[in-house]
Amino acid sequence: MDDVTVTLKKSASIIKDEIDASLSNIIPQDLKNASIYLTNAGGKMLRPGLTLLTCQLVGGSESDAVKSGVAIELIHTFSLIHDDIMDDDEVRRGQPAVHVKWDEPLAILSGDILFSKAFEIALSLKESNPNVSSDAVLETLNTIADSCIKICEGQALDMSFEGNFEVCEDDYLDMIFKKTGALIAAATKIGAIAGGADLNDISTLYEYGKLIGLAFQIHDDYLDLTSDEESLGKPIGSDIAEGKMTLIVVNALEKANDEDKQTILKILKEENNSLEQIDQVMNLFNKYGSIEYASNIAQTYVNDAKKILSNFEDSYAKETLLKLADYVIGRST
């Protein structure tokens, strides 16, 4: 895990410097400050880290993928700003969300400008790497655009699940792929494109990203019930308190007898749950093995992702990508 953290910090430093340069000419100052705010707040920058690594995996250099990594991180940041507004979340990365520190109109504009800058940067790929073909630039743009469409669909599906306790596992997995996994898959794909990979390797690395993206979100659901408040930055069981549909909830509702199902539903539907009620639901999740089930599903996705890499030659990039697959379900935050 330490090797992965060091690698991500190194790539994050490179990406942050490039983002700072890319956003330096935004005016007025308030819009610039709001746009750069979350980047300065830290974050793992997992997605651009994956872009740099998959580029190196297929024979490219780290520098070949920097602009692609910046584009993907700007899309991610844009989505966070807008998500916080839609979800009325007041804290992001341990500090006030953008719309709280400024206001909603400026937050929306800062998200919009990050979205636009991402495509501007992707269009300029040939400036930093003349060897990139026009087809590669076009495919990078198509990949980013497709991920944006999927993010919007995923967010809409997530909102439609609120209060809908008939959601099945396949529907839930489709939602989290679109909301979370699609951008991670796009990150690994555009890295492969930047490295000059063939169509088969590009497709393979998109699948790798998809699998670890699914595992990443399921592990988030798992952490909500198994981590501690200090590490998580929010109360344990907050998904229960908010009545969110997660894989754990879906599985428990499918397995529970009528009495237990009604207990789970009653507590999920209540607006102000006590700690005792949250503990009661968690006990029922354990009774039906739903927490362990979610953990096992995430592990299966990680195992499948690692198998995908077996056809690539051994390298530092491959070793790190293997460790990164384990990292997404081994992290505590």
Side-chain angles (χ1 to χ4, degrees):
M1 293 299 174
D2 288 343
D3 291 346
V4 170
T5 303
V6 169
T7 299
L8 288 177
K9 284 183 177 179
K10 177 175 174 288
S11 62
S13 177
I14 295 168
I15 296 297
K16 185 183 179 304
D17 287 347
E18 188 70 23
I19 288 176
D20 288 345
S22 300
L23 303 182
S24 62
N25 60 351
I26 293 175
I27 54 173
Q29 190 67 37
D30 272 357
L31 179 59
K32 176 183 174 181
N33 291 343
S35 300
I36 206 77
Y37 178 69
L38 284 185
T39 302
N40 289 337
K44 303 177 187 71
M45 292 200 181
L46 171 66
R47 292 153 190 81
L50 286 165
T51 301
L52 301 190
L53 284 166
T54 52
C55 178
Q56 294 171 81
L57 179 71
V58 299
S61 65
E62 186 176 69
S63 60
D64 293 335
V66 170
K67 283 191 177 294
S68 296
V70 167
I72 216 75
E73 183 63 17
L74 292 183
I75 293 295
H76 177 54
T77 309
F78 140 76
S79 72
L80 295 181
I81 293 171
H82 283 204
D83 278 2
D84 287 344
I85 295 169
M86 285 183 279
D87 297 341
D88 201 24
D89 288 337
E90 296 188 351
V91 177
R92 172 68 65 177
R93 293 176 179 166
Q95 60 185 33
V98 176
H99 70 279
V100 173
K101 186 169 180 62
W102 284 274
D103 53 39
E104 285 193 10
L106 193 68
I108 292 168
L109 287 173
S110 68
D112 290 346
I113 206 163
L114 293 177
F115 179 88
S116 303
K117 279 285 185 180
F119 285 94
E120 180 183 70
I121 289 165
L123 280 166
S124 71
L125 289 175
K126 287 181 73 68
E127 294 177 14
S128 59
N129 184 4
N131 295 323
V132 172
S133 68
S134 296
D135 285 345
V137 174
L138 182 60
E139 186 58 24
T140 297
L141 288 165
N142 283 338
T143 301
I144 295 171
D146 177 69
S147 70
C148 291
I149 292 167
K150 285 185 169 61
I151 289 169
C152 293
E153 291 175 341
Q155 177 70 1
L157 284 169
D158 193 20
M159 291 188 297
S160 75
F161 288 173
E162 292 178 11
N164 176 11
F165 298 104
E166 301 300 322
V167 174
C168 69
E169 183 172 315
D170 286 345
D171 288 340
Y172 179 75
L173 293 175
D174 180 55
M175 182 274 288
I176 64 169
F177 163 61
K178 288 179 173 177
K179 186 172 180 179
T180 302
L183 191 61
I184 293 176
T188 53
K189 180 177 178 178
I190 65 173
I193 294 169
D198 60 32
L199 291 177
N200 183 63
D201 284 349
I202 290 170
S203 176
T204 297
L205 289 170
Y206 182 84
E207 185 66 16
Y208 166 85
K210 176 181 177 178
L211 289 167
I212 65 168
L214 289 167
F216 185 96
Q217 183 57 55
I218 293 170
H219 187 64
D220 270 3
D221 297 345
Y222 175 81
L223 286 177
D224 183 71
L225 300 179
T226 61
S227 187
D228 59 85
E229 186 170 341
E230 183 178 352
S231 298
L232 206 57
K234 60 180 182 179
I236 299 304
S238 61
D239 285 350
I240 296 172
E242 294 170 17
K244 287 187 177 180
M245 289 299 285
T246 66
L247 182 60
I248 295 166
V249 173
V250 170
N251 182 260
L253 291 176
E254 287 179 353
K255 290 178 178 177
N257 62 39
D258 287 343
E259 181 182 352
D260 289 342
K261 182 175 181 178
Q262 290 309 312
T263 298
I264 294 170
L265 289 173
K266 180 178 182 296
I267 294 173
L268 288 174
K269 291 175 182 178
E270 287 191 10
E271 290 189 6
N272 296 305
N273 293 311
S274 66
L275 292 176
E276 290 77 12
Q277 287 176 311
I278 291 173
D279 285 342
Q280 187 178 8
V281 173
M282 289 175 64
N283 288 335
L284 289 173
F285 288 165
N286 282 316
K287 175 181 177 179
Y288 291 102
S290 298
I291 297 174
E292 183 181 7
Y293 175 81
S295 178
N296 289 340
I297 291 290
Q299 183 67 63
T300 298
Y301 283 139
V302 164
N303 292 343
D304 289 345
K306 291 166 71 173
K307 288 175 186 174
I308 279 176
L309 297 177
S310 62
N311 292 329
F312 292 93
E313 292 184 6
D314 290 342
S315 64
Y316 174 78
K318 177 179 176 178
E319 180 184 351
T320 307
L321 286 166
L322 288 168
K323 290 178 179 178
L324 252 170
D326 289 325
Y327 169 80
V328 299
I329 61 169
R331 61 197 166 87
S332 58
T333 60

